[in-house]
Amino acid sequence: MSTRETLLRYNFIINRLRRGPATFDEIIDYLKTKSEDLDYNLSISQRTFQRDKQDILSLYGIIINFDKSTKKYYIDIDDTTDENQRLLEYFDIINAFRFSENISKYVHLDMHTPLGTEYLLDLKDAIEGHKLITFNHQKFYENEATLRNVEPYILKEFKNRWYLVARDIADKRIKTFALDRISLLKITNVTFPEPTDFDANEYFKYCYGIVRLDDLAPEEVILSFTPKQGKYIKSLPLHNSQEIIVDNDSELMIKLKIFITYDFIQELLQYGVEVKVLKPDLLAKWINEIHSNALKRYESEK
């Protein structure tokens, strides 16, 4: 059996059990159907399935449990990390499209410029190997690229863009670089010790997205959304710190603890009249001034 078939089988087993518990025979039937649909041999024995369970745990961190009373296998979604959940989402997308001869017949994708994802694998290897890297980086507001020498720490995704978080050797500061602004990437053979003063979860704990300013302190933000917009905010929280204060037919009121950055202000502005800033007063004042200036601009053009 090919490596491709093996990986596909892992994915189909996971997908079947994410839909609900299943006996071994039900898993076999599901794999048989997929084999016929895709013209692959995905059938396995009970012994191979036991090995697959271990491989799935090793590769994806997903535990396949067995309920002796029902004789069914199942995945406890609550035990699956957020990172592995995202990996499963990517696998779902890839497998949904990989066998389509003409994707455009079934799927309409947003058009965008390359996002630098061609560097993801090399950067992951450099991070795991603690290897210094060099690259050219060009900021949006600068005409020329600059050479960077950095210690790569983590990769971060935000709004369909990928970023590298690294310590710049020149000034020893931790910075974030958009992958689509990187060119001429080179992984050196020079290694660096694992950082003891950087924790990604703590570093981004109060951030909205990827912007963090060392001279800012996180603030308590209270927002009031209309009931309609509130449904979206509940299903896709603005931030990990989001807490619901009020949820009724009149409003959804939430509380956040977050750095008030330009990116966060831009996020609030996109909701227009669907949101009102209740706290802090300075943020409410900024949002009010921006909306007022926008209205003046339109009125001046009449």
Side-chain angles (χ1 to χ4, degrees), residues 165-179:
V165 181
R167 191 185 303 274
D168 197 324
I169 299 300
D171 57 13
K172 304 301 181 182
R173 293 179 58 192
I174 295 175
K175 301 176 182 178
T176 304
F177 303 94
L179 264 59

PDB file of all heavy atoms in Angstrom, residues 165-179:
ATOM      1  N   VAL A 165       7.511  34.828  13.703  1.00  0.00           N
ATOM      2  CA  VAL A 165       7.896  35.561  14.907  1.00  0.00           C
ATOM      3  C   VAL A 165       9.327  35.143  15.230  1.00  0.00           C
ATOM      4  O   VAL A 165       9.616  33.943  15.391  1.00  0.00           O
ATOM      5  CB  VAL A 165       6.961  35.246  16.090  1.00  0.00           C
ATOM      6  CG1 VAL A 165       7.374  36.048  17.324  1.00  0.00           C
ATOM      7  CG2 VAL A 165       5.512  35.554  15.706  1.00  0.00           C
ATOM      8  N   ALA A 166      10.226  36.121  15.300  1.00  0.00           N
ATOM      9  CA  ALA A 166      11.640  35.812  15.440  1.00  0.00           C
ATOM     10  C   ALA A 166      12.356  36.918  16.214  1.00  0.00           C
ATOM     11  O   ALA A 166      11.856  38.039  16.322  1.00  0.00           O
ATOM     12  CB  ALA A 166      12.276  35.651  14.054  1.00  0.00           C
ATOM     13  N   ARG A 167      13.523  36.594  16.727  1.00  0.00           N
ATOM     14  CA  ARG A 167      14.352  37.594  17.399  1.00  0.00           C
ATOM     15  C   ARG A 167      15.385  38.117  16.400  1.00  0.00           C
ATOM     16  O   ARG A 167      16.177  37.342  15.856  1.00  0.00           O
ATOM     17  CB  ARG A 167      15.061  37.003  18.623  1.00  0.00           C
ATOM     18  CG  ARG A 167      15.724  38.084  19.504  1.00  0.00           C
ATOM     19  CD  ARG A 167      16.529  37.458  20.637  1.00  0.00           C
ATOM     20  NE  ARG A 167      15.737  36.597  21.478  1.00  0.00           N
ATOM     21  CZ  ARG A 167      15.015  37.024  22.525  1.00  0.00           C
ATOM     22  NH1 ARG A 167      14.979  38.310  22.818  1.00  0.00           N
ATOM     23  NH2 ARG A 167      14.329  36.160  23.254  1.00  0.00           N
ATOM     24  N   ASP A 168      15.350  39.408  16.157  1.00  0.00           N
ATOM     25  CA  ASP A 168      16.275  40.047  15.231  1.00  0.00           C
ATOM     26  C   ASP A 168      17.648  40.135  15.894  1.00  0.00           C
ATOM     27  O   ASP A 168      17.788  40.696  16.984  1.00  0.00           O
ATOM     28  CB  ASP A 168      15.765  41.451  14.878  1.00  0.00           C
ATOM     29  CG  ASP A 168      16.441  42.001  13.629  1.00  0.00           C
ATOM     30  OD1 ASP A 168      17.640  41.736  13.445  1.00  0.00           O
ATOM     31  OD2 ASP A 168      15.772  42.696  12.841  1.00  0.00           O
ATOM     32  N   ILE A 169      18.663  39.557  15.250  1.00  0.00           N
ATOM     33  CA  ILE A 169      20.010  39.546  15.821  1.00  0.00           C
ATOM     34  C   ILE A 169      20.551  40.962  15.984  1.00  0.00           C
ATOM     35  O   ILE A 169      21.295  41.252  16.926  1.00  0.00           O
ATOM     36  CB  ILE A 169      20.967  38.711  14.942  1.00  0.00           C
ATOM     37  CG1 ILE A 169      20.478  37.253  14.855  1.00  0.00           C
ATOM     38  CG2 ILE A 169      22.391  38.761  15.484  1.00  0.00           C
ATOM     39  CD1 ILE A 169      20.386  36.554  16.171  1.00  0.00           C
ATOM     40  N   ALA A 170      20.158  41.888  15.100  1.00  0.00           N
ATOM     41  CA  ALA A 170      20.715  43.240  15.112  1.00  0.00           C
ATOM     42  C   ALA A 170      20.425  43.983  16.409  1.00  0.00           C
ATOM     43  O   ALA A 170      21.307  44.632  16.975  1.00  0.00           O
ATOM     44  CB  ALA A 170      20.186  44.031  13.912  1.00  0.00           C
ATOM     45  N   ASP A 171      19.186  43.905  16.892  1.00  0.00           N
ATOM     46  CA  ASP A 171      18.834  44.657  18.106  1.00  0.00           C
ATOM     47  C   ASP A 171      18.270  43.770  19.213  1.00  0.00           C
ATOM     48  O   ASP A 171      17.809  44.275  20.245  1.00  0.00           O
ATOM     49  CB  ASP A 171      17.841  45.770  17.782  1.00  0.00           C
ATOM     50  CG  ASP A 171      16.572  45.248  17.108  1.00  0.00           C
ATOM     51  OD1 ASP A 171      16.350  44.019  17.122  1.00  0.00           O
ATOM     52  OD2 ASP A 171      15.813  46.064  16.552  1.00  0.00           O
ATOM     53  N   LYS A 172      18.286  42.453  18.999  1.00  0.00           N
ATOM     54  CA  LYS A 172      17.833  41.477  20.002  1.00  0.00           C
ATOM     55  C   LYS A 172      16.343  41.583  20.328  1.00  0.00           C
ATOM     56  O   LYS A 172      15.885  41.019  21.323  1.00  0.00           O
ATOM     57  CB  LYS A 172      18.644  41.617  21.307  1.00  0.00           C
ATOM     58  CG  LYS A 172      20.150  41.498  21.125  1.00  0.00           C
ATOM     59  CD  LYS A 172      20.540  40.157  20.518  1.00  0.00           C
ATOM     60  CE  LYS A 172      22.059  40.051  20.359  1.00  0.00           C
ATOM     61  NZ  LYS A 172      22.452  38.765  19.716  1.00  0.00           N
ATOM     62  N   ARG A 173      15.576  42.271  19.502  1.00  0.00           N
ATOM     63  CA  ARG A 173      14.141  42.436  19.752  1.00  0.00           C
ATOM     64  C   ARG A 173      13.344  41.373  19.002  1.00  0.00           C
ATOM     65  O   ARG A 173      13.736  40.936  17.909  1.00  0.00           O
ATOM     66  CB  ARG A 173      13.674  43.823  19.323  1.00  0.00           C
ATOM     67  CG  ARG A 173      14.240  44.967  20.150  1.00  0.00           C
ATOM     68  CD  ARG A 173      13.744  46.298  19.639  1.00  0.00           C
ATOM     69  NE  ARG A 173      12.279  46.363  19.646  1.00  0.00           N
ATOM     70  CZ  ARG A 173      11.579  47.313  19.039  1.00  0.00           C
ATOM     71  NH1 ARG A 173      12.199  48.257  18.360  1.00  0.00           N
ATOM     72  NH2 ARG A 173      10.268  47.304  19.101  1.00  0.00           N
ATOM     73  N   ILE A 174      12.223  40.960  19.609  1.00  0.00           N
ATOM     74  CA  ILE A 174      11.332  40.011  18.954  1.00  0.00           C
ATOM     75  C   ILE A 174      10.430  40.770  17.994  1.00  0.00           C
ATOM     76  O   ILE A 174       9.809  41.770  18.370  1.00  0.00           O
ATOM     77  CB  ILE A 174      10.503  39.240  19.990  1.00  0.00           C
ATOM     78  CG1 ILE A 174      11.428  38.370  20.841  1.00  0.00           C
ATOM     79  CG2 ILE A 174       9.444  38.372  19.312  1.00  0.00           C
ATOM     80  CD1 ILE A 174      10.745  37.656  21.975  1.00  0.00           C
ATOM     81  N   LYS A 175      10.361  40.302  16.753  1.00  0.00           N
ATOM     82  CA  LYS A 175       9.597  40.989  15.714  1.00  0.00           C
ATOM     83  C   LYS A 175       8.748  39.987  14.933  1.00  0.00           C
ATOM     84  O   LYS A 175       8.988  38.776  14.983  1.00  0.00           O
ATOM     85  CB  LYS A 175      10.539  41.740  14.763  1.00  0.00           C
ATOM     86  CG  LYS A 175      11.418  42.780  15.460  1.00  0.00           C
ATOM     87  CD  LYS A 175      12.404  43.424  14.507  1.00  0.00           C
ATOM     88  CE  LYS A 175      13.296  44.415  15.243  1.00  0.00           C
ATOM     89  NZ  LYS A 175      14.303  45.032  14.342  1.00  0.00           N
ATOM     90  N   THR A 176       7.796  40.523  14.194  1.00  0.00           N
ATOM     91  CA  THR A 176       6.907  39.694  13.382  1.00  0.00           C
ATOM     92  C   THR A 176       7.085  40.077  11.917  1.00  0.00           C
ATOM     93  O   THR A 176       7.019  41.259  11.570  1.00  0.00           O
ATOM     94  CB  THR A 176       5.440  39.889  13.804  1.00  0.00           C
ATOM     95  OG1 THR A 176       5.322  39.605  15.196  1.00  0.00           O
ATOM     96  CG2 THR A 176       4.519  38.958  13.024  1.00  0.00           C
ATOM     97  N   PHE A 177       7.305  39.076  11.073  1.00  0.00           N
ATOM     98  CA  PHE A 177       7.544  39.303   9.649  1.00  0.00           C
ATOM     99  C   PHE A 177       6.484  38.571   8.825  1.00  0.00           C
ATOM    100  O   PHE A 177       6.283  37.368   8.998  1.00  0.00           O
ATOM    101  CB  PHE A 177       8.932  38.796   9.243  1.00  0.00           C
ATOM    102  CG  PHE A 177      10.066  39.396  10.026  1.00  0.00           C
ATOM    103  CD1 PHE A 177      10.557  38.742  11.163  1.00  0.00           C
ATOM    104  CD2 PHE A 177      10.644  40.593   9.651  1.00  0.00           C
ATOM    105  CE1 PHE A 177      11.603  39.279  11.891  1.00  0.00           C
ATOM    106  CE2 PHE A 177      11.698  41.148  10.374  1.00  0.00           C
ATOM    107  CZ  PHE A 177      12.178  40.489  11.501  1.00  0.00           C
ATOM    108  N   ALA A 178       5.821  39.300   7.945  1.00  0.00           N
ATOM    109  CA  ALA A 178       4.851  38.677   7.053  1.00  0.00           C
ATOM    110  C   ALA A 178       5.586  37.847   6.011  1.00  0.00           C
ATOM    111  O   ALA A 178       6.541  38.332   5.383  1.00  0.00           O
ATOM    112  CB  ALA A 178       3.998  39.747   6.372  1.00  0.00           C
ATOM    113  N   LEU A 179       5.161  36.609   5.818  1.00  0.00           N
ATOM    114  CA  LEU A 179       5.867  35.734   4.881  1.00  0.00           C
ATOM    115  C   LEU A 179       5.793  36.221   3.455  1.00  0.00           C
ATOM    116  O   LEU A 179       6.702  35.959   2.659  1.00  0.00           O
ATOM    117  CB  LEU A 179       5.301  34.308   4.987  1.00  0.00           C
ATOM    118  CG  LEU A 179       6.067  33.352   5.909  1.00  0.00           C
ATOM    119  CD1 LEU A 179       6.118  33.887   7.335  1.00  0.00           C
ATOM    120  CD2 LEU A 179       5.430  31.965   5.894  1.00  0.00           C
TER     121      LEU A 179
END
